[in-house]
Amino acid sequence: MGLEVSLWRAVAVFRFAALAYAVVLLVTSRHEYVRPWLGLGIVVVMLIWSVVAAIAYADPARRHWPLLSADMLVTLGCLFASSWVVAPDRLSRGAATLPMAWVAGAVLAWAIAGGRRWGLFAALLVGAVDLTLRGQVTPTTLNGTVLLLLAGFSIGYLVRLAGEAELRLQHAAELEAATRERERLARGIHDSVLQVLALVQRRGAEIGGEAAELGRLAGEQEEVLRSLVGNAPHAPSSDSGVDLKALLSTQTSNRVTVSGPATPVWLPEQIADEIAAATASALDNVQRHGGPGAHTWVLLEEEESEVIVTVRDDGAGIAPGRLAEAAAAGRLGVAQSIEGRVRDLGGTTVITSAPGEGTEVEMRVPR
C-alpha cells in the first residue's frame, strides 16, 4: 500500500532524527553522566540498529515477528542501559533516559505492522521498562507513556483506515474497468448479434411453420442476451466474495424468473460459482425435458447458517424412478451437476416431481 510505504520511510527518518537529538544530549550533558564512554557505546548501537531497521523494514517480506521482536529487544536494551549511564537518583527525579524519543521508533513499527493493539502493547512495554528504571511514577514517565500510547493507537488506526480505503479504491477501479469492457461488448453485440436475432424472429413469424419455431427460439435468446449485457457486473465484497443474487440474476429470461432478498447475498466465490452452476444445470434440464411451454421460477433465500435456492417449473415433471434409471444408464446430469455439486459443498438437495405437475429442486448449502 502506498501510505504504508510512506509510513515505514517516515519511521526510518524519525529514528535518525531522534538519534541525532540523543547525540546532542550526550555531548551537552556528558559531565552529568556516570559513564559517558558507555553512553557513547549505546549511541553507536542505536546508530547501527537504525541503519539495519531502515534496510530491513523496506522489505515487506521481513515485517513480521522476528524483525519486530528484535527491534523491541534492542530498544528495551538501550533504554535499560540508561541506568548504567545516568545516575539512579537523577532517573528517579525524572531525568531523561539516554535514548530519549528514539524508543518510539519500535512502538511506531509495531503499530504499522499490527495495528492499534500491537501499538498499544508496545507502548505499554516500553513504559513498563521506563518505570522499572526509575523505581517510581514520575511526570516524565507518565507523559512519555501517554504520548507513546497515543502514537501507537493513532498510527495503528490510520494504517487500518488506509488499508480499507485503498482496498475500496482498488475494487472501484476494477468495477469501473469491468463496466467499461461490458459496455464495449454490449455495443458490439447490439450492433450485430441482437439485430440478427431480431431479424430471424421477425422473418420466422412471417414465414410460419418450422421457421416460426426457429424465430421463437431466436427471440428467447435475444431476451437472454439483452439481460446478460444489461446487468451490471457484481462487485466483490470486503472478504473477496461475490453476490450470489447478482450471479443468479443473469439467468433471467422470458421463461425464467429469479427472485431473492432485497440485499446482496455475499458468499465465497467458489461456493457462489458452484451454486450458480448447479442452478444453471437445473434450468438446462427444464429446457430439455420440461416441454416447450415450461416456465421456471428461481427463488433465493438467505438464512443465518445457510442459503437456499429453489428451482421450480410447471413443465412435464419426472416420472417415479426416472432419475435412478438415468443414473444407472450413465446419464449423470442431475446426480453430478446438481446433487454432486451441492453435496461437495456440504449441502443437501431435495427433488420433488410428478408427471404433469412440474419439478421442484431445493438446494440447501451451509454458509
Side-chain angles (χ1 to χ4, degrees):
M1 295 184 297
L3 178 61
E4 187 173 340
V5 172
S6 300
L7 288 175
W8 284 114
R9 292 175 181 173
V11 170
V13 173
F14 171 82
R15 287 181 191 269
F16 287 106
L19 176 62
Y21 180 67
V23 172
V24 172
L25 184 65
L26 176 64
V27 173
T28 57
S29 306
R30 61 184 182 278
H31 60 280
E32 299 179 0
Y33 290 151
V34 178
R35 301 178 181 86
W37 57 270
L38 181 58
L40 179 61
I42 296 174
V43 169
V44 172
V45 172
M46 293 164 58
L47 173 61
I48 294 174
W49 182 251
S50 296
V51 175
V52 172
I55 297 174
Y57 281 122
D59 184 2
R62 297 179 180 178
R63 300 168 187 165
H64 299 293
W65 277 113
L67 179 58
L68 292 169
S69 300
D71 192 5
M72 182 58 68
L73 288 175
V74 172
T75 299
L76 295 181
C78 293
L79 177 61
F80 190 80
S82 296
S83 60
W84 301 333
V85 179
V86 184
D89 59 326
R90 296 187 65 244
L91 286 175
S92 62
R93 292 196 303 268
T97 58
L98 185 60
M100 282 291 290
W102 188 82
V103 297
V107 175
L108 297 177
W110 278 53
I112 297 174
R116 294 169 295 177
R117 294 181 180 179
W118 286 22
L120 292 175
F121 176 78
L124 290 174
L125 192 59
V126 173
V129 173
D130 188 73
L131 176 62
T132 302
L133 290 178
R134 302 180 187 278
Q136 61 181 354
V137 178
T138 65
T140 302
T141 301
L142 183 61
N143 294 337
T145 303
V146 170
L147 289 176
L148 288 177
L149 288 171
L150 291 175
F153 179 86
S154 301
I155 295 299
Y157 184 67
L158 177 63
V159 169
R160 184 179 69 84
L161 288 182
E164 293 179 356
E166 292 196 12
L167 185 60
R168 290 177 181 176
L169 181 61
Q170 179 183 355
H171 287 171
E174 293 174 354
L175 181 59
E176 182 181 3
T179 302
R180 289 179 180 273
E181 179 64 14
R182 193 182 190 92
E183 291 175 351
R184 185 187 67 82
L185 294 175
R187 288 192 297 268
I189 292 174
H190 180 272
D191 295 339
S192 58
V193 181
L194 291 179
Q195 292 185 6
V196 172
L197 290 176
L199 177 62
V200 172
Q201 180 185 18
R202 185 171 63 255
R203 292 293 296 160
E206 293 174 355
I207 297 174
E210 295 183 357
E213 177 64 16
L214 180 62
R216 184 186 63 80
L217 294 176
E220 292 181 359
Q221 295 305 311
E222 179 191 5
E223 292 187 13
V224 173
L225 194 54
R226 286 186 185 277
S227 175
L228 288 175
V229 300
N231 288 329
H234 58 273
S237 69
S238 59
D239 59 353
S240 300
V242 296
D243 180 11
L244 179 60
K245 177 184 174 183
L247 208 57
L248 295 180
S249 296
T250 60
Q251 303 288 348
T252 302
S253 68
N254 63 328
R255 292 193 177 184
V256 178
T257 302
V258 179
S259 303
T263 58
V265 179
W266 299 113
L267 288 176
E269 183 175 0
Q270 181 181 2
I271 296 179
D273 288 344
E274 287 296 298
I275 295 176
T279 304
S281 180
L283 294 174
D284 183 62
N285 284 337
V286 176
Q287 184 178 4
R288 291 184 178 183
H289 310 294
H295 291 78
T296 310
W297 295 266
V298 179
L299 175 62
L300 171 62
E301 301 174 271
E302 181 181 22
E303 297 185 355
E304 182 176 355
S305 60
E306 63 182 359
V307 293
I308 307 170
V309 178
T310 305
V311 181
R312 180 172 59 87
D313 67 80
D314 59 359
I318 304 174
R322 184 70 184 90
L323 294 178
E325 293 176 3
R331 297 189 295 274
L332 304 177
V334 173
Q336 294 296 334
S337 298
I338 301 177
E339 295 177 327
R341 281 193 170 98
V342 175
R343 184 172 57 252
D344 290 344
L345 296 176
T348 58
T349 305
V350 177
I351 301 177
T352 305
S353 182
E357 297 182 4
T359 303
E360 180 179 283
V361 180
E362 182 186 76
M363 298 172 281
R364 291 178 174 265
V365 178
R367 301 182 66 89

